Amino acid sequence: MQQVDVAVIGGGPAGSSAGYAAASEGADAVVIEKGVPRADREELGPDSTDAAGILDYWVDLMDLDEPIPDHVKHQELNAAEFIGPSETLELTETGMDATYPNFGFTVHRARFDDWLRSRAEDAGAEYRVGTGVASVGSELTGTPSHTLTLRDGTGIETEYLILADGPQRTITGTVLQNWLADAHMENLESRRANHIAYQEYRRLPEELFERDRIKFWWGYMPGHTAYPWVFPNDDPVARVGLTMPIGMDLDDVENREAYRLLHDEDERVPQGNTYIERLIEEVYPGYDLADFPLVEDRGKSGGTETYPISSTRPIESPTAANVAVVGGAMGATSAFHEGGDHVAIRTGQIAGRLAALGALRAYNAEWHRAIGSEIRRNCVFADMVRGYEPDDWDTIFGLVSDVQGDDGFTPYEAVYAGLTGAKLFGEYKWRKFRFRNGGYAQVREDDYTV
């Protein structure tokens, strides 16, 4: 039975960052990663699915103590485009205070994860890949401790446990169910709580490849957090993908004819690859699908990948049990803003450092302080657009010409936009007020029976 101070389950951005922070503070830390194969990685590693990229202020929010190296970057970004059926909103700045000089950048996610792993190992953490966790037993009498049984038959005993196994919460769910009521656990079930994302690596015609921007199409497919995208990778390869809710029934969709990627003959929500083919036909007229060939040595398999995204509000952790939940497992990532590497890294770092210092009871307060404004804003916007249809996206893109600071847009802009803009601003402020004092968290620490 291996004895460690801090055990981390999951070796993605949150887990590697937790291992790095714990080891940097002198703790004996181990990161356990079951490992998945990828076409663009020789060895097993974390589920390194590429997300949109990194925005300028996300770099500061990560609070890394060194620059992200150039070899993990694909393209420097100058803009993001949000495209509705009739209106387009182009943002050339996030409106947030940031030290990074450009709008952001896209990354080679496998290289990014490998770099985070190497940081953890260089700091002294053990990164064990190739075996998963079969079970976790917890002993709360006296000083809380946890025993991990791995699928290779070995065991680990630890005082502090950090759960970083992503939005499907494979292990997190089995641990938290010991201390959460059934009603709370039902909200955390992955198929009820998550969206699914699918993307393909395609080589674009040179004249269509836009290396300096990420693009999203809203109101083209049903679901208030459902949208396709194009993100630039290495010239002229881009990721063409989408996110959509799991389990949507097409019979419940109103105004089906308004969604450009739905066809009359559809009897159910189309598969991801069908949506992508239709997107290419819709937004690149005059070209054939053959002009956008799959790049089969990328992604998880044959130039494609599917992955879950948490779209729930985040949860606090049962720190009295010496347990912290970080990153996607805590619901800090979001289908609404597409991506969560920044909050995953920051929450992992906070949990790892506090565990090493024997101060994990401060974790919930610390992550609220560090990323609360980001999470609160995302939760408010996601709630505001629930039920939006294509015309609604045109309205909001027509109203909002820029993102201004923490409040999204200013009262002056709202009044200038007229009644609709004022109502939108009022709804934002009201919903934001409801989420004050950490109210965006769907599970609070007091909900645990530890």
Side-chain angles (χ1 to χ4, degrees), residues 2 9 30 32 128 131-135 147-156:
Q2 181 181 2
I9 300 178
V30 60
I32 303 108
R128 189 182 301 185
T131 184
V133 175
S135 64
T147 301
L148 283 58
T149 302
L150 305 189
R151 296 194 181 279
D152 62 8
T154 61
I156 297 174

Side-chain angles (χ1 to χ4, degrees), residues 58 63 66 68 82 198 223 252 276 298 306 321 342 390 434-435:
W58 290 6
D63 198 29
E66 60 182 303
I68 296 174
F82 301 87
Y198 172 79
D252 296 332
I276 287 178
R298 311 293 175 86
T306 304
H342 57 310
R434 289 181 59 213
F435 284 155

Side-chain angles (χ1 to χ4, degrees), residues 409-426:
F409 51 96
T410 66
Y412 172 81
E413 290 172 319
V415 172
Y416 182 77
L419 179 61
T420 303
K423 288 172 63 178
L424 189 68
F425 180 78

